[in-house]
Amino acid sequence: ISNDSLSLLAAKFPQEEVFKNVNTSRKANVTETIPVTPGSFNVALLLPFESAQKNQFIYEIYSGMKLAVDSLAKIGVNINMVPYETGKDSAKILEFLNTKDINNFDLFIGPVYSAQQKWVGEFADKEGIALVNPISNFNGLPNNPKYFSYPPTYETQGKKAAEFALNNFTRRRNAVIVHGRSFGDSIIAYAYKAEFERLGGKVLLLKRLSAGTANYFGTVLSKIPIDSMGHIFVSSLEPSIGANLFSYLEGVLLEKAKTYRESMVPGEKKERKLSPADIPILVPQEWLNFQNINYEQFVLHNTHFICPQFVDQDEIPNNSFIDNYFKTTGLTPTTFAFSGYQMMLYYGMALSKYGKKIWKY
């Protein structure tokens, strides 16, 4: 790590002794000794600290981790967290893997770049050390049993959303799935489809749309009888897709209600017309920021949101963290700070309960 970066970190955490362990050269990596202390656990934190000047979230994650280490110490779980500068290429990772007594580490957190994860992942798998991906939603090492992802992967988001839909949208066990053009959107949609069908649901349509084809949303949906739609799942952050979806549903349901009224004859039993709420919609939380959809529309369409990193700040443990974070940094914790705190707390407790081989449980 550069002297400038060390200065920034020292200014951010003036009482932090651990930065003396941050490595600045291959020689330091090779000769540094990682101690084995009974009752404590060594955790290597592999993050691009040099880029933290531009990416504030690196500091925020680290701040949350520090408070988690303090919280764990109070209950007798001692974590020796050693940060390493990873940069953006594999050179520093290879230096880290040559650290003397590296097998004395009980857990690796990071690195964040996929190419670097491959190197560390192969070593961790061979040596029996668990590796945690602290940031990305991608499952970078799907065949490595010692690889964990703290943020829910795209596959997990799709599966959990499908499970929720099948348990809560009970009028019809049928789904219409629409996804955007990004890789993440596609992964979520196909994971949703696979899990929904595995649990006994039926997928009426799986369609990809983009900003350029969003106007065809109504044409796509018109091929399916409106009465047969159980719910609609959309994996896309494109605002025009949301606007076209709501516009189509409101129009076709109003027209259907008009047809019902016009077809009534004296003495005929009145049919209950479909309302927008009868066809729930499940979408990413980012839709709440769409300026072309208002709150009343979300309510009208019985809209549900996927919030993979939701934090209930009213819970007592989170309230305590907020207070401690503010006292330490003078700032209100961000989602990244919460992530760092919860991640270190979770894996610290796992090390305490299961030991180094947490991947066995």
Side-chain angles (χ1 to χ4, degrees):
I1 187 170
S2 68
N3 290 332
D4 289 342
S5 296
L6 279 173
S7 298
L8 286 169
L9 289 168
K12 200 75 175 177
F13 309 103
Q15 306 302 321
E16 181 54 74
E17 293 293 327
V18 74
F19 282 115
K20 294 179 180 179
N21 294 323
V22 176
N23 301 287
T24 57
S25 68
R26 183 178 180 84
K27 181 178 180 181
N29 273 328
V30 172
T31 60
E32 182 178 1
T33 299
I34 307 302
V36 176
T37 305
S40 67
F41 301 94
N42 294 318
V43 176
L45 180 60
L46 309 171
L47 289 176
F49 286 103
E50 288 180 343
S51 67
Q53 188 173 7
K54 295 181 179 179
N55 299 307
Q56 179 69 21
F57 70 88
I58 298 293
Y59 288 131
E60 293 163 357
I61 289 174
Y62 185 78
S63 299
M65 288 180 171
K66 276 296 301 171
L67 288 178
V69 169
D70 294 340
S71 296
L72 288 167
K74 292 177 182 177
I75 59 174
V77 180
N78 299 310
I79 301 294
N80 175 32
M81 186 169 65
V82 186
Y84 286 84
E85 168 61 50
T86 62
K88 292 185 178 181
D89 55 38
S90 297
K92 290 184 181 294
I93 293 300
L94 293 176
E95 292 177 7
F96 166 73
L97 294 178
N98 283 312
T99 300
K100 184 178 180 181
D101 298 330
I102 190 173
N103 283 317
N104 289 344
F105 277 114
D106 301 290
L107 180 70
F108 298 147
I109 296 182
V112 300
Y113 298 107
S114 57
Q116 295 177 333
Q117 283 185 9
K118 180 178 181 297
W119 285 96
V120 180
E122 289 177 353
F123 178 88
D125 189 25
K126 179 182 178 182
E127 301 298 327
I129 303 174
L131 166 66
V132 179
N133 173 357
I135 296 174
S136 175
N137 296 108
F138 286 101
N139 185 1
L141 303 171
N143 298 319
N144 187 338
K146 302 174 187 67
Y147 175 84
F148 298 85
S149 176
Y150 177 74
T153 64
Y154 290 124
E155 293 92 338
T156 299
Q157 292 180 47
K159 290 179 179 180
K160 290 297 182 181
E163 181 182 329
F164 171 85
L166 206 60
N167 291 333
N168 291 275
F169 305 151
T170 56
R171 186 183 68 86
R172 294 278 190 275
R173 295 168 66 87
N174 299 331
V176 171
I177 302 175
V178 175
H179 65 92
R181 297 180 62 86
S182 77
F183 187 47
D185 291 344
S186 300
I187 292 177
I188 292 176
Y190 279 92
Y192 188 97
K193 178 180 184 294
E195 185 69 5
F196 193 74
E197 291 177 335
R198 188 187 72 81
L199 295 173
K202 181 179 180 181
V203 174
L204 302 175
L205 176 72
L206 175 65
K207 183 70 176 179
R208 185 179 74 171
L209 291 176
S210 64
T213 58
N215 290 332
Y216 296 103
F217 208 156
T219 303
V220 170
L221 292 181
S222 66
K223 299 177 181 178
I224 304 171
I226 193 72
D227 294 11
S228 68
M229 293 184 192
H231 72 278
I232 299 173
F233 173 73
V234 183
S235 174
S236 173
L237 305 183
E238 175 50 52
S240 59
I241 288 180
N244 279 277
L245 169 60
F246 284 3
S247 177
Y248 170 78
L249 288 177
E250 289 164 14
V252 74
L253 289 173
L254 285 174
E255 182 61 32
K256 190 168 185 63
K258 179 181 177 183
T259 303
Y260 279 146
R261 289 194 300 271
E262 291 177 348
S263 65
M264 294 300 169
V265 297
E268 182 180 14
K269 184 179 179 180
K270 185 176 182 180
E271 298 182 64
R272 188 183 77 83
K273 65 178 183 290
L274 281 175
S275 72
D278 289 322
I279 306 176
I281 298 173
L282 187 56
V283 298
Q285 64 181 5
E286 286 82 0
W287 280 41
L288 289 165
N289 298 322
F290 289 177
Q291 296 183 0
N292 55 358
I293 302 175
N294 57 45
Y295 172 77
E296 289 73 18
Q297 285 179 295
F298 284 132
V299 173
L300 175 66
H301 288 276
N302 192 9
T303 310
H304 295 70
F305 302 93
I306 300 174
C307 305
Q309 292 182 297
F310 172 75
V311 175
D312 186 353
Q313 298 190 12
D314 292 329
E315 289 188 358
I316 293 177
N318 291 333
N319 276 330
S320 299
F321 170 69
I322 294 172
D323 292 341
N324 291 334
Y325 190 89
F326 184 79
K327 290 176 183 177
T328 304
T329 67
L331 301 170
T332 301
T334 63
T335 300
F336 290 108
F338 272 107
S339 294
Y341 177 77
Q342 293 174 339
M343 177 168 36
M344 182 59 73
L345 203 64
Y346 177 85
Y347 285 102
M349 292 298 295
L351 288 171
S352 175
K353 185 175 181 179
Y354 302 115
K356 184 173 186 175
K357 297 182 179 180
I358 60 175
W359 43 270
K360 281 191 171 183
Y361 301 93

